[in-house]
Amino acid sequence: MSPAIRPIITRDQIQTRLLELAAQLNKDYASQQLILIAVLKGVFIFLADLIRLLDMPVRVDFVRLRSYGTSSTSSGSVEITKDVELSIRGQHVLIVEDIIDSGLTLEYLVRHLQKQEPRSLKICCLTDKLERRTLSVPLDYVGFVVEKGFLVGYGLDYAEDYRQYPDICELEL
Ligand code: IMP
Ligand code: MG
């Protein structure tokens, strides 16, 4: 039997929140060049919607990290499977993530990017999921705070399925 899927954040709520986030970013980085480092794969829809609301000159790069495999629980270890290709030294950098759960992936990525000495390094995530946070990483821009649950849709997957759903949904496993 397929699992129950319940929308918890609608496409309209996402669009409204994105306008607010973009307004804040446009203010904070006014006229500065910004490099967005997007974490594949779940972030692709959030990134595509957000970037078109930004006014400052923007460059984009992608990283991919492995910590989850295809299950819904973290394996506890992180490795980079696709690294940044642009030079970020001396640049303003914003990590763009779909969801922060334990914080392991993000903490690893922050340490990795800091080695290249960006001028600034901040974090923008669509959803901040609190329940399983073990490593606390300061988040600068947060779309939505969610207490718990496994979320799919708007780019988020469960074992690679459900990414195309326009709303953020809770998967009842
Ligand atoms: P963390 O390292 O535990 O913070 O997990 C980070 C990554 O796990 C996220 O970037 C997602 O790719 C994935 N993840 C965590 N929670 C969820 C969820 O509820 N739905 C889909 N993916 C998730
Ligand atoms: Mg991710």
Side-chain angles (χ1 to χ4, degrees), residues 67-68 74 97-106 129 132 149-152 156-157:
S67 71
Y68 252 66
S74 176
E97 245 292 30
D98 51 4
I99 186 163
I100 317 295
D101 188 14
S102 68
L104 271 168
T105 308
L106 188 62
K129 192 166 76 176
R132 290 197 295 212
F150 198 84
L151 310 184
V152 296
L156 293 162
D157 73 305

Side-chain angles (χ1 to χ4, degrees), residues 39-43 65-69 71-78 97-107 127 129 132-135 146 148-153 155-159 163 169 171:
V39 185
L40 292 170
K41 296 194 271 189
V43 79
L65 298 102
R66 186 171 17 226
S67 71
Y68 252 66
S71 81
S72 65
T73 50
S74 176
S75 66
S77 63
V78 182
E97 245 292 30
D98 51 4
I99 186 163
I100 317 295
D101 188 14
S102 68
L104 271 168
T105 308
L106 188 62
E107 202 257 355
T127 41
K129 192 166 76 176
R132 290 197 295 212
R133 187 68 37 84
T134 54
L135 288 173
V146 177
K148 59 181 178 170
F150 198 84
L151 310 184
V152 296
L156 293 162
D157 73 305
Y158 174 65
R163 292 193 197 272
C169 306
L171 190 70

Side-chain angles (χ1 to χ4, degrees), residues 8-9 17 98-100 125-131 133 139 141-148 151 168:
I8 56 164
I9 304 166
R17 186 71 188 114
D98 51 4
I99 186 163
I100 317 295
C125 73
L126 176 65
T127 41
D128 178 11
K129 192 166 76 176
L130 303 177
E131 186 189 39
R133 187 68 37 84
L139 305 176
Y141 305 92
V142 175
F144 301 96
V145 177
V146 177
E147 193 52 44
K148 59 181 178 170
L151 310 184
I168 298 175

